[in-house]
Amino acid sequence: MKPGIHPEYRDVCFVDLSNGSKFVIPSTAQSRETVKMDDGRELPLFKLDTSSESHPFYTGTQKSVDALGGRVDKFRQKFARAAAAAGPKK
């Protein structure tokens, strides 16, 4: 590798803000914040809105659109009236 052109590759602590879970992986992600780990290391801290610990796809709490309080049926009823009022298409 050519020296001086690549970002620093080091351990970074990622924190999921939705549930507080932490995980450490090597990364080039830049951060101004640091966190002191249980083992005494001070690592760069990168905050995430969601991760595999909290995302519905990975946790198995994913919901079907049809099961969300009949939203699809309400949509169809609303636009069925509008389509009927506009008349048949030619």
Side-chain angles (χ1 to χ4, degrees), residues 34-87:
T34 60
V35 64
K36 188 145 182 130
M37 301 303 289
D38 295 335
D39 60 3
R41 296 184 299 166
E42 192 165 328
L43 298 175
L45 176 66
F46 196 87
K47 296 178 180 175
L48 303 170
D49 291 330
T50 187
S51 69
S52 60
E53 291 290 323
S54 63
H55 194 280
F57 180 80
Y58 296 104
T59 60
T61 59
Q62 195 170 14
K63 297 179 182 174
S64 170
V65 175
D66 291 331
L68 294 175
R71 289 184 191 173
V72 174
D73 289 330
K74 288 179 189 176
F75 176 83
R76 287 182 180 147
Q77 289 173 359
K78 177 179 177 181
F79 287 99
R81 289 187 295 228

